[in-house]
Amino acid sequence: MRPPAEPRGPPPLLLVLLTNFVLSFGKETLQTTAVAPQFQKNMDYVDFIHLNILEKKVLNNSEVSVQYLCSKPCIISLEAVASSEFRTGVPVYRRRWKDEKNLYVSRTRQVHLKFPSIMVYRDDYIIRNSIIVHSVILYAWISHKSASNYDDEQSEDYQAAVAKNYTFLEAVPPFERPYKDHKVCLQWGADYLWMLQANRIPQCPHESDGVQLLEFIYASSGEKTGIVKKFEQFENRELETVRQHQIDYPMFTVSIWLYLLHHCEKDLCGILYFIDSKEMYGTPAVFLNEEGYVHIQMHLVRGDDLAVKTSFSLPLKQWFRLDISFKGGQIEVSSVGKNLKRHHHQSFTFREDFYYDDTAGYFVLGGSGYVNGIEAFFGPVKYYRLSVLETEQISNPHHDKDTVEQIEVYYERCLDIQEIVYDYAYIVRQGEKMRRSCYYENYYLELIHKYGEKSQCDAFMWGKELMEKYHTLFKLLQEMDFSSPDVLEDGSDTVVEVGRRIFEKVVKGLSSANGLSNLGSSVPLLVDSSCCGYHKASYFLAVIFETGLGVPVDRIKGLLYSLVGAQGNERLSVMNLGYKHYQGINNYPLDLELSYAYYSNIAIKTSLDQHNIKGEQAFVETIRLMDDELLKAQTKENGDVFMWLKHEATRGNAAAQQRLAQMLFWGQQGVAKNPEAAIEWYAKGAIETEDPVLIYDYAIVLFKGQGVKKNIKLALELMKKAAAKGLPQAVNGLGWYYHNFKRDYRKAAKHWLIAEELGNPDASYNLGVLYLDGIYPGVPGRNQTVAARYFYKAAQGGHIEGTLRCSLYYITGNMEDFPREPEKAVIWAKHIAEKNGYLGHVIRKALNAYLELSWHEALLHYILAAETGIEVSQSNLAHICEERPDLARKYLATDCVWRYYNFSVSQVNAPSFAYLKMGDFYYYGYQNQSKDLELSMRMYAQAALEGDSQGFFNLALVIEEGNSIPSYILDHLEIDQALHSSNTSLLQELYYRCWNNSNQESISPCSLALLYFYMRVLWNNVLHSTLIYFMGTFLLSILVAFAVQSFQSLSAHNSAGRRSEPLSDAIPSSLVNDNEHATRLQQDEPTLSNDLSQQESNPQNPLVTS
């Protein structure tokens, strides 16, 4: 540790450095001795001085306890030195006293520190300019001097001291200080003027070098995604000066809480590392290896890299804190337990200093495109940018202790369950092997095995207590057949397979007619399934506890199973966490970087999942339950729509063949996914018709061998044929062929440039890959800037990999044309993640259940989809709860309608009818929710901006009822400010816009309202004339008399007039169906577009090239 600066005349730079790292209070220097409990006169005595302050802050009348011992007559000195933004080393307090009698005895003296008022009080009428103090150092020392020297100058006292010590005092920000009682009375006018401006003092946040990188628990699944953090320069000039000085002499500390599940499977896994502006590892780079040792890599000042490995390994399945500090060329690594007791410690010292600039790049927690993350839960992560701290000095506590404990309890319980399942399966299989060895000798036993009951274990080796604790699990195990081929010999696969069987049994029961009534009894089975590693069950549990589906709401358990499922790579669990952190709802903190870590994980998987034609996947379709036309278009393999398409396709109709193949390949419109059948129609269409899309689609599956044997020669012929017909994606396909099969980058670039001019986003992405890899013909080296521009253009066209790359640029801020915008990064990654086929499968099951009037199954699966943040599922679920309020009240502890319409309007792509619903709820009040007129108007205005005439109509009715619309809402609607003050002008504008946005070909409520408004205005203008008023009154009297006479002569006829009602919750007749579904190349590979016959309602859907 560097020694403290002298109290007088210090070097300016040294003082600046010292004022920004926190030392332990009263820490001994090389010239400070320990306290001896007893002294004897026949011993050699060593002088010492210690400081002890209860409240280590710069306060008026702070009390310090000075403990000292003098072996000769001495003078004890105290001096406080302060540093501000503009001056350093300013003495602000001094105190001296002499001690000539109490020699060889340890003495303690209480001293009250008094600082200048501008350091300890807020500004007021008398103290006009209080100063911001960054640090205060209190020095204490002992000098052996006679009383005659007591009044001498002390310029060299500290240097010549026989014992000395120091401690830091924490400065209090100006606006946290108290006001001073001056014991004076101001004149009334002066006091009043001061009170008027007293609260106008701007409050500036106190800047510190301690940064909380992560506060909430992060579930790291070991994938190539993680949390990205970026730091800017300090606003405080003094702190920034220290930071720049420490670039070649780093002094910082990192503290990370971890719950490690496994060591790294292969090579190194990322814990925390820095990526510089050139996309290279910087200082620090902390990884975990296969044996569990910590691998630390540093970048040296001279440009080389250096790595070390700890001699201790990190523990599994227990919370611990990893503390790493860097000081120049020295590294200190410590492992600390939950009780904050140090488990391991190791030091590394190097002759060279490290290079460290934490603003020239970004930090990553977990995985990235360069390395896989660890399989663990990250707890709080604290980063001290300028300070080297001991373990005891680090302040990095757990904020959610309940969840931390629940994670430990969960994995302890799961360990028991996994052992029981594995041992049970092993015993049954061994018994089965012994039986089979006898079958060859006994034909009767063979028949029993073939047609009799399956093998099970009746004689348990487990104790009674364990069997009672897990009685449901043992009962299920007895019912299972472990001789089937899907139960593998591998232990881990066996356990997961048992978990899958338990889960499927539970879901089958829940999907029955009254299945949700048994949900409470299904929870223990889902817990067993989750413990077996089948994390679809984990997500079910998370949703059940968070929404109160059949059980009381339990936020802690809901969070636990969300984290467990996400760590186990369950896609819906990951999306659930990404959505909750993006919106900051359900007690999840708003954290865009954390949200991006989850969403980017699924976004990457979305592209990879499309490579796999197997699995429970379906195309994600935007189908609203209020849209009767779309619901009628849903079909099945035996449905009328499908049968008609099949008939037309058989007759050679190219459009029908294309649509039929598309439905079968992607699993659209209610048809089950069947790639093999789809490829048959692709082949038939390509051979029988001259349709370029069908020819191109068949060429793709031949290139890749998806559901058919590879045939490169035929595929190339077909691709050239389709390209000759001017199909942009076929031109791109030729470029892909030359790139991957011929390595002819010149021809590849030529075709991609042509395809890009034709508007193909795959070609834009592929050109970007050429620039990124540095293989673009005629251009030497890599050009990331040009590559990023091509990626952005591809993303604008809906390209999945292009969108992913742009989202990465926005989260890192490491690219010239992409300033760091975490929210935009999240939105782009979320857009891709919501196309995932596994999510589409859940949405399709919910829709099919709704069409079949299976209400329990529909409610269950729509809740599962809605909690991932899919807007269409949220609004559909709210609609079901409105349609079946009895079902919602019985099984959901939360207010379903309010919750999910509220979620819906928080989305970027919320429909207008959801805004109208929430507007009505706020206007009239909804159950326990109070009325809020302003929020209601904001909802109506948002619906109006979406082009819904009902929004304008409702705003006009608000004015008609005597309310006024705030100006900011009118500005948001882009209504001329000249109209704001006149209700008549506003009504005219709103009714006109209402009419303009409605169907003008027919009479609508908006047109009637506009006509009625003009009639009222005309009548009011007529009434302004007195003569016309009297003439009107006279004529009216005549008409009344005539009416009375006619009434007496004729039979009574009453005509009932009906008042025109406002529009109901209008739904646009044509909904935009975002059915883009795409597959692409692996990272940094060119892509080959494959829309597989997806036409107007379903844009291009490229398949991934191998």
Side-chain angles (χ1 to χ4, degrees), residues 208-221:
S208 170
D209 76 320
V211 182
Q212 199 74 42
L213 285 179
L214 181 65
E215 294 186 10
F216 203 74
I217 297 175
Y218 167 54
S220 174
S221 59

Side-chain angles (χ1 to χ4, degrees), residues 722-734 750-764 767 793 1100:
K725 293 179 178 290
L727 191 68
Q729 52 264 47
V731 179
N732 172 73
L734 286 176
K750 176 183 175 182
H751 284 89
W752 285 337
L753 285 170
I754 296 172
E756 193 211 14
E757 289 180 1
L758 296 173
N760 184 256
D762 298 271
S764 300
L767 288 170
K793 188 173 182 179
Q1100 298 175 5

Side-chain angles (χ1 to χ4, degrees), residues 261-335:
L261 294 175
H262 304 285
H263 293 147
C264 191
E265 290 187 1
K266 185 180 179 182
D267 299 330
L268 298 175
C269 296
I271 298 178
L272 172 69
Y273 46 95
F274 185 76
I275 305 293
D276 65 19
S277 57
K278 297 180 181 178
E279 297 295 316
M280 303 291 288
Y281 288 124
T283 302
V286 183
F287 305 97
L288 184 70
N289 69 7
E290 299 174 10
E291 293 82 22
Y293 301 116
V294 181
H295 175 102
I296 305 174
Q297 182 171 311
M298 296 73 61
H299 187 64
L300 301 178
V301 173
R302 67 184 183 187
D304 298 337
D305 292 315
L306 184 68
V308 294
K309 183 177 70 173
T310 61
S311 59
F312 62 87
S313 61
L314 300 182
L316 296 178
K317 295 187 178 177
Q318 60 176 283
W319 284 102
F320 66 92
R321 198 178 78 189
L322 180 65
D323 297 337
I324 306 176
S325 63
F326 292 76
K327 181 182 179 182
Q330 183 177 355
I331 305 175
E332 302 284 339
V333 186
S334 299
S335 172

Side-chain angles (χ1 to χ4, degrees), residues 1049-1063:
S1049 61
L1050 300 174
S1051 58
H1053 295 282
N1054 295 325
S1055 59
R1058 294 185 180 178
R1059 177 179 180 269
S1060 296
E1061 294 291 335
L1063 280 170

Side-chain angles (χ1 to χ4, degrees), residues 767-768 771-772 783-792 815 817:
L767 288 170
Y771 278 104
L772 186 66
N783 193 326
Q784 295 189 57
T785 303
V786 175
R789 291 170 185 165
Y790 276 114
F791 293 148
Y792 183 80
M815 194 59 61
D817 297 334

